[in-house]
Amino acid sequence: KAGVTQTPRYLIKTRGQQVTLSCSPISGHRSVSWYQQTPGQGLQFLFEYFSETQRNKGNFPGRFSGRQFSNSRSEMNVSTLELGDSALYLCASSRLGANTGELFFGEGSRLTVL
Amino acid sequence: QQQVKQSPQSLIVQKGGISIINCAYENTAFDYFPWYQQFPGKGPALLIAIRPDVSEKKEGRFTISFNKSAKQFSLHIMDSQPGDSATYFCAARLGGATNKLIFGTGTLLAVQP
């Protein structure tokens, strides 16, 4: 069974640009969450989607947005990039109706903002 | 109040020794406490988890001890091996219709051969 797939794995952007990251959850998983990981702040929750609906959002500015498609795939977008947005962005999926906190993470998309 | 405090920040253990990582929380609404293991270049992977109605859970060499009254829980790695060298995160889930986890700051474990 394939795991959570995130693309791209690495990307470099400059300040002011925008970026879109993609996540394909494990087959059958309908809940997708996004986290930002940095050395200073650790793992910070961005948002959570279930059945195309955002059901939870972390304390990030409006420049961070996301969506989920009918096939459960998800994307997140960061507009007007800042240096501080450099981080590893992790997507995680979990089973349908299973609000257990058991998340299956992808390997992440490492974003560098210059 | 939604923080999870984790210590130590780093830990060096000899092969065969016991690694102990501690976490503490304040919010009594947390209802699920997982531990994740992360190797360099990889995403975190669920290691073991516990619910607050259980005081201890053991899976192989990994044990979670949970003290509900003290709002503390810890991970014990028995017979630590060099392959256990990784970063470990404790986490907590706020009850309700969500899988949102609040993570601790992580512990970098190095097991020396």
Side-chain angles (χ1 to χ4, degrees), chain A residues 6-24:
Chain A
Q6 291 189 245
T7 56
R9 289 292 314 279
Y10 303 90
L11 65 166
I12 299 174
K13 294 286 187 179
T14 57
R15 280 182 299 173
Q17 288 187 311
Q18 74 166 14
V19 65
T20 298
L21 309 177
S22 180
C23 172
S24 293

Side-chain angles (χ1 to χ4, degrees), chain A residues 13-18 80-84 113-114:
Chain A
K13 294 286 187 179
T14 57
R15 280 182 299 173
Q17 288 187 311
Q18 74 166 14
T80 319
L81 285 166
E82 300 177 0
L83 295 179
V113 182
L114 301 177

Side-chain angles (χ1 to χ4, degrees), chain A residues 37 48 94 99-100 103 107, chain B residues 32 36 42 93 98-99:
Chain A
Q37 185 174 25
E48 176 186 19
S94 58
N99 294 316
T100 62
L103 304 180
E107 296 191 332
Chain B
Y32 175 77
Y36 282 80
K42 302 292 185 181
R93 189 187 79 104
T98 180
N99 281 323

Side-chain angles (χ1 to χ4, degrees), chain B residues 22 31 33 37 40-41 51-52 57 68 82 90-92 96 98-99 101:
Chain B
N22 301 299
D31 67 352
F33 300 87
Q37 179 190 55
R51 297 197 180 276
K57 183 173 182 180
K68 189 175 182 178
C90 62
T98 180
N99 281 323
L101 295 180

Side-chain angles (χ1 to χ4, degrees), chain A residues 42-105:
Chain A
L43 283 152
Q44 300 284 313
F45 173 80
L46 280 157
F47 20 67
E48 176 186 19
Y49 289 88
F50 181 80
S51 294
E52 302 178 65
T53 300
Q54 185 183 89
R55 62 178 183 177
N56 220 325
K57 189 176 191 303
N59 295 325
F60 280 82
R63 301 185 296 107
F64 291 80
S65 63
R67 59 178 177 169
Q68 186 181 31
F69 302 96
S70 58
N71 61 359
S72 295
R73 192 176 68 83
S74 178
E75 287 181 348
M76 67 163 283
N77 184 277
V78 187
S79 63
T80 319
L81 285 166
E82 300 177 0
L83 295 179
D85 297 334
S86 294
L88 180 66
Y89 290 88
L90 291 160
C91 171
S93 72
S94 58
R95 289 188 297 272
L96 171 66
N99 294 316
T100 62
E102 182 176 2
L103 304 180
F104 296 83
F105 284 89

Side-chain angles (χ1 to χ4, degrees), chain B residues 59-97:
Chain B
E59 289 185 2
R61 297 184 294 108
F62 301 91
T63 299
I64 300 179
S65 296
F66 191 87
N67 186 328
K68 189 175 182 178
S69 60
K71 299 178 192 173
Q72 296 175 347
F73 58 111
S74 60
L75 176 69
H76 295 235
I77 306 174
M78 312 299 288
D79 187 26
S80 298
Q81 300 296 312
D84 297 330
S85 298
T87 301
Y88 292 81
F89 294 93
C90 62
R93 189 187 79 104
L94 201 59

